Amino acid sequence: MASTPAPPAAPPKPTWDPRKAEPPFPWLRPTIRIRLTLLYGGMFLIAGILMLSIVYLLAAQALHEGSGQSFQVTGTNIDISSSTCPQLDTATSNNELNAMLKACNADQRRQALDGLLSRSLLALLGLAVIAFAFGYAMAGRVLSPLGRITRTARAVAGSDLSRRIELDGPDDELKELADTFDDMLERLQRAFTAQQRFVGNASHELRTPLAINRTLLEVHLSDPNAPVELQQLGKTLLATNERSEQLVEGLLLLARSDNQIVERKPVDLAEVASQAIDQVHAEAEAKGVEIRGERAPAVVQGNGVLLERIALNLVQNAVRYNVPEGGWVEVVTGIQHGQAVLVVSNTGPVVPAYETDNLFEPFRRLRTERTGSDKGVGLGLSIARSVARAHGGHIAAQPREGGGLVMRVTLPI
């Protein structure tokens, strides 16, 4: 008999977190604004250096031509003195005086060129600073529509699909990009609205008949005169109906938790974990599984009901998929590296490392005892991952040495 093909894997979720803190030195990032500023300033600096070189060469040529006329001092009893060339007073002959005049003239020309060069470099440096500042300001003005698009995208990433860019200005490439983005948001909003409407309708249409079936079966089972075969059939049907109710609730919760959480309140993971342990305590005692671990306060902003579902699903799985005797489950909460963490570890069957990612897929179980249908509907870890992502966090599974798993949920504070 042909085997049923496995459902296609879900596409990976985006890893970019819109609430992620800015880097400690945002001005060091190679942003487009910084690159445009360097481009503008660099082009000005290169043009200034070329202009300075041309001016320097032209000035040197002009000074050389202007002072190129030869002259001779002749005669006797000539007294020549100069504050810039004091050595002229020491000349003992006309030839020596003429040589000193030429050397003094060359020295004055060199000093004039050096002064011109130093003042020009200082002026170029000042103008370069002004050019870089002007280029930074102009780049910011040109790229301001991109900042508006980015802020809108971040708001949309927080599930505010009603936001629009509505960019004004000339009909250029940036406005075309903004209009395209607005059209995409409009289609996304319609799709999400239709999905929410479908989830609400499905919630009513699927729960009602299942609740009626459960009531009818419970009424028939309460009849003491009912035959044994009928009671056994009723119990089987009641268990099947209960599993269908769990499947519907899981699917609806999975559909609701795929989006970001808009309304957030302070929730202590330690309290959430304690409530989950209380709900699983009876099942753990029946299986002989010890629940332990220290739960330090770890307050996050989120939805308490959904976060409790994460803890409940993880603790239930840790109890159900455990060793037959002497098993334990460790539930730990706290703050680590500036984030709130919930860690659920347990003893259990050996889990291959390459199988851990498959555990988070809907209706996917390991090839070992998890293939049984009496331990759940195969949506627990999928719901946990979806809820964690909706809160801006993530969940990871790691095989434990000796058997079992270590499930780690990390959420932003």
Side-chain angles (χ1 to χ4, degrees):
M1 185 174 66
S3 58
T4 304
K13 296 285 185 178
T15 57
W16 172 61
D17 185 4
R19 294 178 301 278
K20 187 177 180 181
E22 293 290 337
F25 302 102
W27 52 274
L28 290 178
R29 293 173 53 215
T31 59
I32 297 180
R33 186 175 186 180
I34 295 297
R35 284 182 285 177
L36 286 177
T37 301
L38 294 177
L39 178 62
Y40 296 155
M43 292 177 62
F44 174 83
L45 194 59
I46 293 174
I49 292 175
L50 292 176
M51 181 62 69
L52 178 60
S53 302
I54 295 173
V55 171
Y56 182 83
L57 293 176
L58 293 177
Q61 183 180 3
L63 287 176
H64 179 72
E65 292 177 353
S67 61
Q69 297 180 356
S70 60
F71 57 89
Q72 295 288 333
V73 178
T74 58
T76 58
N77 298 326
I78 297 176
D79 185 13
I80 299 177
S81 62
S82 174
S83 58
T84 57
C85 296
Q87 67 272 20
L88 295 177
D89 295 338
T90 61
T92 57
S93 64
N94 290 341
N95 291 333
E96 187 178 356
L97 181 61
N98 290 328
M100 289 182 178
L101 285 174
K102 292 181 179 180
C104 183
N105 189 21
D107 184 67
Q108 291 297 319
R109 184 170 62 250
R110 181 183 56 79
Q111 291 181 7
L113 291 175
D114 291 343
L116 174 65
L117 181 60
S118 61
R119 290 183 178 87
S120 299
L121 288 176
L122 289 176
L124 179 61
L125 180 60
L127 291 176
V129 173
I130 296 175
F132 276 102
F134 181 76
Y136 186 80
M138 290 302 298
R141 185 175 180 84
V142 172
L143 295 176
S144 58
L146 286 181
R148 187 172 173 180
I149 295 174
T150 302
R151 289 189 296 271
T152 304
R154 287 178 176 174
V156 171
S159 290
D160 187 8
L161 292 176
S162 62
R163 294 288 299 271
R164 297 293 183 271
I165 301 174
E166 297 178 352
L167 186 64
D168 300 328
D171 190 12
D172 54 6
E173 291 83 357
L174 291 177
K175 190 174 188 306
E176 183 180 358
L177 174 63
D179 293 342
T180 303
F181 192 76
D182 285 342
D183 293 339
M184 181 188 68
L185 292 180
E186 184 68 28
R187 292 193 296 270
L188 284 176
Q189 186 179 21
R190 290 198 299 266
F192 278 107
T193 302
Q195 181 191 23
Q196 292 174 356
R197 189 182 302 112
F198 170 78
V199 169
N201 294 334
S203 174
H204 175 74
E205 296 295 334
L206 294 177
R207 286 172 176 169
T208 301
L210 292 175
I212 295 175
N213 291 340
R214 184 180 68 252
T215 303
L216 294 175
L217 290 172
E218 289 175 349
V219 169
H220 284 289
L221 290 176
S222 64
D223 185 7
N225 299 323
V228 178
E229 295 81 2
L230 184 60
Q231 289 185 357
Q232 184 64 33
L233 177 61
K235 291 180 181 180
T236 303
L237 292 176
L238 188 61
T240 303
N241 191 83
E242 182 180 359
R243 175 174 168 79
S244 299
E245 289 180 337
Q246 293 178 359
L247 177 60
V248 170
E249 290 291 338
L251 289 173
L252 294 176
L253 181 61
L254 183 61
R256 288 196 301 266
S257 61
D258 271 336
N259 298 327
Q260 295 286 333
I261 307 301
V262 178
E263 296 183 0
R264 298 172 179 264
K265 297 180 180 179
V267 180
D268 190 353
L269 290 184
E271 182 180 355
V272 167
S274 299
Q275 293 177 357
I277 291 174
D278 292 340
Q279 297 182 52
V280 187
H281 185 70
E283 184 178 357
E285 282 189 346
K287 292 179 64 67
V289 176
E290 176 191 1
I291 300 180
R292 63 192 188 190
E294 297 182 359
R295 289 171 289 281
V299 180
V300 299
Q301 298 294 325
N303 185 292
V305 176
L306 293 179
L307 291 176
E308 183 180 346
R309 181 54 66 97
I310 288 183
L312 180 60
N313 288 348
L314 294 182
V315 177
Q316 277 183 343
N317 283 347
V319 170
R320 293 174 180 176
Y321 304 108
N322 216 301
V323 294
E325 296 181 357
W328 52 262
V329 174
E330 186 176 56
V331 183
V332 178
T333 61
I335 303 295
Q336 297 181 6
H337 307 292
Q339 292 183 316
V341 295
L342 167 64
V343 182
V344 179
S345 309
N346 73 315
T347 53
V350 177
V351 180
Y354 59 84
E355 290 282 3
T356 54
D357 291 339
N358 295 333
L359 299 177
F360 296 97
E361 297 298 330
F363 308 107
R364 296 289 294 274
R365 301 181 180 87
L366 290 180
R367 293 187 299 269
T368 58
E369 65 176 65
R370 286 179 183 260
T371 57
S373 61
D374 59 334
K375 297 182 178 181
V377 296
L379 289 174
L381 293 181
S382 300
I383 293 173
R385 181 180 62 176
S386 182
V387 173
R389 284 175 172 173
H391 285 79
H394 66 276
I395 180 173
Q398 181 180 1
R400 179 182 164 275
E401 185 178 357
L405 285 172
V406 178
M407 308 296 296
R408 183 184 182 88
V409 181
T410 305
L411 299 173
I413 299 178

